[in-house]
Amino acid sequence: MLYFSDQELDAFLLEDAYRGDLTTHALGIEKHMGKMVFKRKQAGRVAGVEVARALLVKLGLEPVVHVEDGADVEAQTVLIEAEGKAEQLHTGWKAVQLVLEWSCGVAQYTAEMTAQVQAENPNAIVACTRKSIPGTRKLATAAVLAGGGHIHRAGLSETILVFTNHRRLYEEPDNFAAQTSRLRQQAPENKITVEADSLDQIEEILKGEPDIIQLDKFSTEEVSEALALVTNSGQSTILSVAGGINRNNAAEYAKTGVNLFITSAPYYAAPEDIKVIITPL
């Protein structure tokens, strides 16, 4: 479970209802009692329920949760429901619906991609990058985890990943061994990942013995060649593949024997349809 602060929850609600629901007020139904039900229209993976529950609680409601995040459900399954005044229900309606729809979409994509790579390689892991839609990273993290994925790196402060843009500013841009040595001295508790832009760089990067070499935009043939180079080196360095990895091609990359797939594709998945029904009590 990821903790969402009051400030974060308030931001979700205030984005839609910063001055209340004008329609509900104009109709004079604010105090009318009702019941609101959220259903997942299609079968699939569920995510966003815990945030949805917290949003409804913020509005003074007492929601009933029927399905936990990470579950797979049948079509038309009720995820969560709440009873209360119309002003409470309508204030939360769209904010909660959007959280559920977008989160379920991300989780569904992640679950499908994970199933595809693990069908080829049971040890395969799908890990999502920090290239999420601005303002959604924490919500995306929760959805990826619900989808059975992992987080590659949630931010700059978490892990060490050397890109070419780092190396260009280093005093010896092509001295991978010196760079890795410095990183091990400066950050002894962290694993070191170095990104390779081409197959030609692999042997030079291996001289520094990094923990991981991230292959950026490599073809499956190039990935297989890189694996052979690592195997022949006798080192424990592992490979990850990144850059354009998605639900359409991940299985082909999994056939190479690589275990770690880095992607941002789930963040841009189509939202799942969540049906909201409000009825009088």
Side-chain angles (χ1 to χ4, degrees):
M1 170 183 166
L2 296 184
Y3 175 76
F4 282 77
S5 68
D6 285 342
Q7 181 180 6
E8 290 169 316
L9 296 172
D10 286 341
F12 286 135
L13 293 169
L14 289 170
E15 185 174 35
D16 190 46
Y18 61 100
R19 292 182 181 176
D21 177 9
L22 178 59
T23 306
T24 298
H25 174 72
L27 287 172
I29 61 172
E30 301 102 310
K31 307 305 179 185
H32 291 201
M33 298 298 293
K35 179 179 181 179
M36 182 163 59
V37 176
F38 296 85
K39 293 182 179 181
R40 198 187 196 290
K41 290 190 70 175
Q42 304 298 326
R45 187 64 55 95
V46 172
V49 172
E50 181 55 34
V51 176
R53 183 201 64 79
L55 290 171
L56 294 171
V57 169
K58 286 284 290 182
L59 294 170
L61 298 166
E62 296 182 2
V64 177
V65 174
H66 294 282
V67 180
E68 299 293 335
D69 290 331
D72 289 312
V73 300
E74 299 297 326
Q76 301 300 323
T77 295
V78 175
L79 306 182
I80 189 170
E81 60 184 348
E83 296 179 358
K85 297 176 182 178
E87 60 185 356
Q88 297 169 300
L89 301 178
H90 282 276
T91 298
W93 171 8
K94 281 299 176 184
V96 172
Q97 183 183 29
L98 290 173
V99 164
L100 289 171
E101 289 189 334
W102 189 78
S103 296
C104 285
V106 172
Q108 183 68 37
Y109 192 108
T110 305
E112 291 178 6
M113 188 171 171
T114 298
Q116 289 171 8
V117 298
Q118 291 184 348
E120 301 292 341
N121 180 353
N123 295 318
I125 288 174
V126 173
C128 290
T129 74
R130 71 182 203 272
K131 287 177 63 177
S132 54
I133 298 169
T136 67
R137 191 173 301 183
K138 194 170 183 179
L139 195 62
T141 297
V144 166
L145 296 176
H150 295 248
I151 297 302
H152 169 51
R153 58 200 305 244
L156 290 172
S157 306
E158 291 197 345
T159 61
I160 292 176
L161 173 51
V162 182
F163 290 105
T164 298
N165 281 335
H166 289 108
R167 295 192 298 103
R168 288 194 185 104
L169 301 181
Y170 190 71
E171 55 191 13
E172 297 179 85
D174 298 319
N175 191 337
F176 293 98
Q179 294 162 28
T180 305
S181 177
R182 175 182 172 83
L183 290 169
R184 291 205 186 283
Q185 189 275 325
Q186 292 292 322
E189 295 184 331
N190 295 89
K191 285 190 174 183
I192 297 169
T193 302
V194 178
E195 184 166 85
D197 300 320
S198 67
L199 193 60
D200 294 338
Q201 293 178 332
I202 301 297
E203 289 185 304
E204 286 301 313
I205 294 175
L206 283 170
K207 291 178 181 179
E209 300 185 22
D211 299 291
I212 302 171
I213 299 177
Q214 181 167 295
L215 309 178
D216 183 44
K217 297 181 177 65
F218 276 44
S219 68
T220 53
E221 293 78 13
E222 290 172 326
V223 170
S224 295
E225 290 185 57
L227 271 171
L229 290 171
V230 173
T231 300
N232 292 336
S233 75
Q235 295 180 18
S236 59
T237 299
I238 67 172
L239 296 181
S240 64
V241 292
I245 307 300
N246 56 57
R247 189 169 50 188
N248 297 324
N249 61 19
E252 290 302 311
Y253 279 93
K255 291 177 182 178
T256 66
V258 170
N259 292 338
L260 183 54
F261 301 88
I262 311 301
T263 182
S264 57
Y267 301 144
Y268 303 92
E272 293 293 329
D273 197 350
I274 301 296
K275 181 68 173 178
V276 183
I277 301 172
I278 299 177
T279 54
L281 286 178

